[in-house]
Amino acid sequence: GADRPGDIGPLARLVRPDIAIITMVGRGHLAGFGGVEAVAREKWSLVEALPEDGTGIVNLDSEPLAQRASSWKGRIIAVGTTGGDIQGRVASVFPGLLIETDRLRLETRILGAHNAGNVLSAVACALHLGLSEEVIEERIRTFTPPPHRLNLVPAPFGYILDDTYNANPDSTAAALRTLVGLPGKRRAFVFGEMLELGGDSARYHREILNLALSLGISPIYPMGDGPVQAAKETAAPDPAGEVRILPRAALPARIRNDLDGKGNLILIKGSHALSLDRLVEELSS
């Protein structure tokens, strides 16, 4: 991880890894980097820090990584759903992500098709380190995602899709698509602010709100300056409509009222500084 240029080099010199895994390049920490190209350049410095006999594992589904991997002279193990040395196919997404390769059936408890690259990267590393295919299939079935990263949490009205650890435009879009792929009577969204996005922050918040509306997610509860401003510009915040601007203290009661009954889903997503994990606790009790 890094949030500004020059973060990865000192860590790589300290750890001196023989294997480097880069899972993706996205629109995160843009306030520090200025653009996606700078993010890609910084992350690739991990591969550049490898010794001559080191191995880079990269996800070809991320276009900036695919471009760099194609011209890299060192050893690369490429993975992805679009190609690579280890190519996987998403066979199903519920109740957990199921990925099939030409040799492996990877049954997981993980939600979100976008996590296929993460699973395949871990598999590539395990194979490189000499683990058998049988052990890999066995262990991947037991893996439980860490808290606040696309976890389904039971609630009186159905389930909360808790993705409150952090947020950027790419991870939020992926979480929204995961939400609509899950079975449920009604799907709602607490849209927490995505911080550290730099000068294009307003555009990114409008982009996410428009995506949620286009996916038929309702109601949507914006929280923070960026989401609230996007709501004011994009959709009329009518109490009977899809976008509802409310004070933080009023959210739990309103959500319970809106999602009355059983079988409902709500995605709660935002940057870590918003402490939306507390809202998850309030709604799940």
Side-chain angles (χ1 to χ4, degrees):
D3 58 19
R4 61 182 61 83
D7 277 355
I8 287 178
L11 294 173
R13 288 191 293 273
L14 175 68
V15 179
R16 299 172 63 192
D18 298 304
I19 303 170
I21 302 175
I22 309 181
T23 54
M24 71 167 294
V25 170
R27 296 174 294 176
H29 302 294
L30 296 184
F33 284 107
V36 172
E37 176 57 30
V39 176
R41 192 161 51 246
E42 177 65 17
K43 290 196 173 186
W44 196 258
S45 69
L46 181 59
V47 171
E48 292 173 336
L50 288 169
E52 189 173 326
D53 59 349
T55 300
I57 298 172
V58 298
N59 178 14
L60 296 190
D61 293 343
S62 180
E63 182 58 30
L65 294 180
Q67 292 174 4
R68 283 164 171 77
S70 66
S71 59
W72 184 246
K73 301 304 182 184
R75 177 169 184 183
I76 289 288
I77 302 175
V79 305
T81 60
T82 56
D85 303 298
I86 301 176
Q87 183 174 356
R89 180 182 71 87
V90 175
S92 65
V93 295
F94 187 80
L97 184 61
L98 171 61
I99 304 165
E100 295 175 342
T101 75
D102 58 349
R103 299 177 64 93
L104 293 163
R105 179 179 172 86
L106 303 166
E107 301 177 48
T108 83
R109 302 175 184 176
I110 303 168
L111 295 175
H114 61 286
N115 274 314
N118 295 328
V119 173
L120 293 170
S121 296
V123 167
C125 185
L127 289 170
H128 180 63
L129 291 172
L131 275 72
S132 69
E133 294 175 352
E134 292 75 19
V135 167
I136 289 170
E137 289 181 332
E138 175 191 344
R139 297 294 175 86
I140 198 69
R141 283 195 295 268
T142 70
F143 173 74
T144 301
H148 313 305
R149 290 181 180 264
L150 279 182
N151 302 126
L152 273 180
V153 177
F157 50 77
Y159 284 92
I160 300 163
L161 186 56
D162 175 7
D163 202 23
T164 57
Y165 179 79
N166 220 334
N168 63 51
D170 296 319
S171 68
T172 305
L176 287 169
R177 293 190 173 97
T178 301
L179 176 67
V180 299
L182 299 176
K185 185 172 67 176
R186 193 170 191 183
R187 296 171 183 84
F189 174 34
V190 174
F191 179 15
E193 188 158 14
M194 304 176 293
L195 300 174
E196 300 181 33
L197 293 180
D200 284 330
S201 177
R203 177 169 65 87
Y204 291 135
H205 283 93
R206 289 194 299 270
E207 174 187 310
I208 290 299
L209 183 59
N210 285 326
L211 174 62
L213 291 168
S214 72
L215 292 172
I217 296 168
S218 173
I220 299 169
Y221 309 92
M223 277 193 62
D225 294 341
V228 168
Q229 185 59 36
K232 291 177 177 178
E233 295 175 5
T234 306
D238 181 347
E242 297 167 315
V243 181
R244 302 176 186 176
I245 299 174
L246 298 165
R248 166 65 176 84
L251 265 182
R254 184 56 186 268
I255 290 171
R256 291 190 192 99
N257 182 71
D258 289 342
L259 301 183
D260 186 40
K262 302 289 185 181
N264 299 295
L265 292 165
I266 185 167
L267 167 65
I268 303 181
K269 176 80 170 168
S271 285
H272 188 70
L274 273 70
S275 299
L276 289 177
D277 54 316
R278 296 176 187 170
L279 180 60
V280 173
E281 293 173 5
E282 294 171 48
L283 289 172
S284 60
S285 58

